[in-house]
Amino acid sequence: MELLAAPEVAALVGDRVFPVHLPVEPVLPAVAYQVIDEKRQQNARRPSGRVRSLVQLSIVAPDYDAAYAVAWVIRRRLERWRGRAGGVLVYDTLEESSQDVGDGAPHMVAMTWRIHWKEQ
């Protein structure tokens, strides 16, 4: 995810952003991302090119404080972000939910983001 390569995010997780799953023994903190739902809009009888995706970010860190530090930086970076990323035009990003997953170490925060974008 190109947006997670922003300097403020990279300062905490480096390049440890992975599709779907983290490696077996990851260096932490790290982030896994996956699309959990995607809907394409239509105008009359044809696709409009507009898409609404729900993307889950799983932030894994050695402890609660480190996981929430990464979540906070990601939240500040992505909330209401608009622009071009990954070859698409992003109209809006909005955090749908955030929750703690598990109660041990390492700690995970699962964030779900609604992203509105247009296919090029």
Side-chain angles (χ1 to χ4, degrees):
M1 255 191 96
E2 189 173 310
L3 293 174
L4 296 179
E8 60 272 28
V9 178
L12 296 174
V13 298
D15 63 354
R16 298 180 303 275
V17 178
F18 304 94
V20 186
H21 299 287
L22 296 181
V24 175
E25 292 188 29
V27 174
L28 300 178
V31 178
Y33 64 90
Q34 67 180 343
V35 175
I36 57 175
D37 186 48
E38 195 163 81
K39 293 189 175 32
R40 285 175 166 64
Q41 296 177 355
Q42 291 198 255
N43 288 334
R45 294 184 185 144
R46 59 187 182 137
S48 69
R50 290 181 174 247
V51 181
R52 182 202 49 109
S53 299
L54 286 179
V55 176
Q56 181 172 310
L57 303 179
S58 300
I59 301 158
V60 182
D63 56 43
Y64 177 90
D65 291 339
Y68 269 91
V70 173
W72 178 252
V73 169
I74 289 173
R75 183 175 287 120
R76 292 190 63 196
R77 169 68 177 154
L78 292 183
E79 190 69 34
R80 306 314 302 217
W81 188 86
R82 295 173 182 159
R84 293 197 178 274
V88 301
L89 179 60
V90 177
Y91 288 105
D92 198 12
T93 56
L94 182 65
E95 184 178 1
E96 288 272 315
S97 65
S98 178
Q99 66 181 5
D100 292 317
V101 179
D103 57 3
H107 190 79
M108 184 167 84
V109 175
M111 302 175 85
T112 302
W113 289 85
R114 181 175 5 130
I115 303 172
H116 294 269
W117 56 280
K118 183 170 175 126
E119 297 175 307
Q120 299 293 308

